[in-house]
Amino acid sequence: MKIHDLITTTDALADLCARLADSEFVTVDTEFMRENTYWPELCLVQIANTQEAAAIDPLAEGIDLTPLLDLLTDNPDVLKVFHAGGQDVEIIVNMTGKTPHPVFDTQIAMMAISQSEQIGYANLVETWLNITIDKGARFTDWSRRPLTDRQIEYAIGDVTHLSKIFPKILKKLIKTGRGAWLDAEMEKLADTSNYVIDPDTSWKRIRSPGRNPQVLGRLKALAAWREGEAQHKNIPRGRIMRDETLADIASHPPKKQADLAKVRGLSAAWKDNDIGKRMLRVIAEAEPLPKSEMPEKMKRGAPLGKEGALVADLLKLLLKIRAREIDVAARLLTRADEMEALAAGVRDLKVLQGWRYDVFGKDALELVEGRLAFAVQNGKLAMAHIDDMQSGMEDALAAE
C-alpha cells in the first residue's frame, strides 16, 4: 500500500480524492480536539482504500477541504467505513450539514458477529490482524504543529489496518446472513438529526426533576440559554454550568441575583456579573412547559408488584444465554429498559419486532407468559419449552 506524505495543499487533496472516488470503499478516521471548545476542532483526517492512504492537514494554510467533503457526503458509489465513527461523523455534519453516505461502522458490525459490545480499535486490530498497536501517540495534542513522523504514522495506521479488516468483517457478515440486522443501526449513524443540536430540545438530555410544568419550563429555557452561551463563547457547555446545577436552579430558582453566590456549582462572581444577570432574566421570562411537550410517563403494563424485578432479572439471564448461543452482542438484541418494560406487560417494543423477535423476542415473551423455563442440559444452562418438558416427563413415566 502506498502511504503518501502529509497532504497540505488543495491540489494534492483533489488528486487523491479523484482516485479514491473510483473505490468500492474508503476507510476514514479523524483526529480532533474538543476539551476546551464547544465545537470539535478538526486537526487531521486520515483516509485509505486498498491501494493507498494519506493523512490530510486541515490546519494547513490555504487548504480547501471541499474535494474531501464532496467525496464523503456526495458520492453514493463509495462506502465510507469508520470504527466507532459517531464523533467523526459529527464533525463532518458540523462542516457540511450532511453525513457521510453510505456509511458503515465496524464497531457496530462486530456486535452482529461476536459478543463484543463496544470493541475498541486496538482490540479490533489485534483480533483480526494479530497486530499490537503502539499507543504512545494516543494522547497527542493534534492541534500543535509541526506533527512528527511518528504521530502521522500512528494516525494513518487507523485507516490502513481498517482497510484490511473491513473486507474480513463483511465476509463474515455475509456468511452469517446478519447484514440486514445492521440496516437500522447504520441508518441511525447517517441521520443528521443525531448530530445537529437544537437548543430548544437540549433540556431533554438532562435528567428531568419531576413533571411539574413550571419547573420543566424553566429547565427548557435555561438549557437553551446555556447552549447559546456555550456556542457563542465556543466553550464546553459544562464550563457554563453543569447539568446538576442547571436542574437544581430550575427546581429552586433564586429570587434575586445575590442568591446565586449560594448556589452550589456556580462561581460567587455570578452574584453581580453579566452572565448571572442574563440567567436571572431567562428564569423570570420562562413559561410553563406546554402539555404537548411534556415527557411521556414511563409505559407500564399490568403491575407485577415485587416480582417484576425478578422477572426482569430472568429476562436478562435469558439474554445472556441467547447472546452466547448465537455469538452476538446482547446490546444489539435489546436493552435493560426494554426488558423491564416487557416484564411489566408492555408489548409495543422493538425487541418484539422483526429479526429481534425471531432470535430473542419470541422466547422472551414466552418466558414472561409462562411457556418457557430454564433447564440444565449437559452441565449448561439452557431454555426449554414447558410443553416439551411435560411431554418428556410423561414419556418417562410411561416407560416405567
Side-chain angles (χ1 to χ4, degrees), residues 257-258 260-263 266-273:
Q257 190 171 349
L260 296 179
K262 305 173 186 176
V263 176
L266 290 185
S267 165
W270 282 53
K271 66 182 175 59
D272 50 22
N273 64 10

Side-chain angles (χ1 to χ4, degrees), residues 39-57:
W39 309 105
E41 180 185 6
L42 180 62
C43 301
L44 199 68
V45 182
Q46 307 93 269
I47 191 166
N49 61 10
T50 55
Q51 285 84 40
E52 58 183 320
I56 302 149
D57 185 359

Side-chain angles (χ1 to χ4, degrees), residues 1-15:
M1 177 183 288
K2 179 176 177 56
I3 307 297
H4 296 283
D5 292 335
L6 180 65
I7 290 180
T8 59
T9 68
T10 305
D11 288 344
L13 177 59
D15 290 344

